[in-house]
Amino acid sequence: MYNLGIDIGSTTLKIALTDEQGRLVFNDYRRHNANVKNVANQIFDDFVLKLQNGEIPEMSGVRADDVELRLVITGSVGMGYAERLGWSFVQEVVAAAEVVKRYYPYVRTFIDMGGEDSKMIFFAEGKVPDIRMNGSCAGGTGAFIDQTATLLGVETVELNRLAAQSTNIYPIASRCGVFSKTDIQNLMSRKVAKSDIAASVFNAVALQVVASLARGMDIEPIVFFCGGPFAYLPELKKHFMRILNLSEDDCLLPDNPQLIPALGCSVMANEEKRSMSLNQLHDLLISEQTIEVDFSDRMQPLFNSKNEFETWLKSKHVYNVPRAKIDSSSKHNYFMGVDSGSTTTKLILLNENGELVYTDYRHNNGDSFRAFHEAITQLYESVENPANIEIKASAVTGYGENLLKTAFSLDYGIIETMAHFMAARAVEPDVSFILDIGGQDMKAIFVENGSIRRMEINEACSSGCGSFLETFANQLGHTAADFAQYACEAKHPCDLGTRCTVFMNSKVKQALREGATVSDIAAGFSYSVVKNCLFKVLKLKSIDELGKHVVVQGGTFRNKAVIRALELQTGVEVSFSDIPELMGAYGAALYAMQKEK
């Protein structure tokens, strides 16, 4: 008889097989990439092969036909599988606590970090363990670290080597995995060493976990560390030790720290009254079916047909910015507007009639200076006689405003709110509400009698912004443009809620397992963007607050599905321009023109 603990997390599948004495005889840890069934079968086949070849010393002489198993499952994805397979489920923190109580009774504080969650348990004699978990934000988790590795262009494990070589720590916001990109890109633009950025991220993660989970409790030794990040990134533990002023003697990093919840399940499986043979488990894995699709909790389609979409599009008030060709045959005056955002740089030229003659849109890749320099170079090279192009006035807005204004001697700086307000008035002179959604930020501007009455911005969460949509489109193997088109074709949009960008991974994976199409998920994201704005950022009490003249702008509104979702959620018709992603730069150019006239 053997006890099998299975931990199906948001990103990985872990198993721990123990004998009746509680000794670990076999284990495995693999990323499942939302295909749990296939990965489980791979582990099963590898186990049987090793057993047959005598590669598991603790099971020497045991035949596969003789293995009898008691089974308990845990993990953020494990509950659904436990229900479908008909086996016991236990919450992962409870499973981990069981390991500490059985094998490490002297531990006083437990810190666990997973792919999308972090946990802390405080143990005291005679008291029930005090369990804490992160709530609505995935800052300070393994996924947060994975995102950093992607941004730096290295493998996650490489961050450990880099962090070990660091000499400086820089402040990085860890409250949101997407917001942190801004800080990291800023460090990259300043040519800060990757080693220092890696160490700074580890430091930010440690600070986030301690601040969000301790909440007034003393973190007393012995401190027990577990979870994949601690298993494969030893430098991470060192940052926790420094912040908490701990010595090595105060800490415990067990063998196989990534397996602790699975090991806890195997301990608890010892109390199970029923069992199955190894062959029965194999049959169960093969026959396990996807849950029958249930459309009862799905949302209203954005459009009921392609014809309805085309009719809607024709009916919309779309402001087409007046255009002309740039003329370098003789000297002419032009007005330049620049929007240097957190992820992109946008440049616009207007002629003296206010007509749009040139645009440039490019990603910063962490270097606003370089991006603008390349944009200007491209402009210079694109005209036949650049000496005849006279920039009479220029204005810049956005994240890189001060840098570009100083470095390139631009004439004016304008705060983003005013730039977007000026652009929105060109779309709708009587605008009452402006919603601007960019790559990592969201601005809502309430207008009354031609003046800004109040403004709301997303401060602690970037779910629902442009990066949010683009990231998931790419993860599912599609471009943002394709994703938008699929959303408009969805028959049964998924209700994905308004969760954190990183937490949404689990929701999407669950929807895919339950038979949702990519179109249904894409439409669900469109609804999520709107719900996040209305209920998390604006906290609207009444739709009447928006007024009757709503203008939307920002690159996210290239996605017509998001516009439609906004209308369906509010019952208000909206207006937009044919250059939504360039409206900040357009407003800056209008401001430069106004200042010179």
Side-chain angles (χ1 to χ4, degrees), residues 430-451:
D430 297 324
V431 59
S432 59
F433 176 74
I434 305 160
L435 178 60
D436 177 79
I437 302 181
Q440 296 177 17
D441 57 8
M442 181 185 300
K443 293 178 285 292
I445 304 169
F446 295 82
V447 181
E448 189 174 311
N449 298 323
S451 300

Side-chain angles (χ1 to χ4, degrees), residues 29-48:
Y29 174 100
R30 305 189 191 193
R31 286 185 178 265
H32 56 63
N33 297 315
N35 199 337
V36 175
K37 180 179 176 179
N38 282 359
V39 172
N41 274 294
Q42 291 169 13
I43 294 175
F44 178 89
D45 291 341
D46 287 351
F47 168 72
V48 171

Side-chain angles (χ1 to χ4, degrees), residues 370-381:
R370 177 198 52 76
F372 180 68
H373 184 271
E374 289 178 353
I376 289 294
T377 302
Q378 180 70 32
L379 169 61
Y380 182 86
E381 294 174 349

Side-chain angles (χ1 to χ4, degrees), residues 155-284:
E155 295 293 326
T156 301
V157 292
E158 177 70 4
L159 288 178
N160 193 74
R161 184 190 66 79
L162 289 170
Q165 301 171 354
S166 70
T167 57
N168 296 292
I169 298 293
Y170 296 87
I172 289 179
S174 63
R175 68 188 184 281
C176 175
V178 179
F179 277 170
S180 68
K181 290 182 182 178
T182 302
D183 290 338
I184 294 170
Q185 287 168 336
N186 183 36
L187 295 176
M188 292 170 65
S189 68
R190 290 159 51 190
K191 308 303 180 186
V192 170
K194 286 185 178 181
S195 56
D196 288 343
I197 295 176
S200 299
V201 167
F202 286 176
N203 181 72
V205 166
L207 286 171
Q208 172 73 6
V209 171
V210 171
S212 63
L213 298 183
R215 298 196 302 273
M217 288 289 289
D218 292 330
I219 297 178
E220 299 177 352
I222 300 294
V223 179
F224 183 100
F225 293 95
C226 76
F230 289 120
Y232 302 110
L233 304 169
E235 286 296 314
L236 180 61
K237 188 189 82 166
K238 293 181 181 178
H239 285 273
F240 275 85
M241 291 172 59
R242 181 180 57 79
I243 289 169
L244 298 172
N245 196 27
L246 300 173
S247 67
E248 283 290 350
D249 292 338
D250 296 328
C251 302
L252 173 62
L253 184 67
D255 294 335
N256 301 306
Q258 72 278 15
L259 298 176
I260 296 303
L263 185 59
C265 285
S266 72
V267 170
M268 301 178 81
N270 203 46
E271 304 300 320
E272 290 287 304
K273 297 194 182 333
R274 57 187 178 139
S275 63
M276 70 168 69
S277 69
L278 195 61
N279 288 333
Q280 286 175 316
L281 175 61
H282 186 232
D283 292 342
L284 201 59

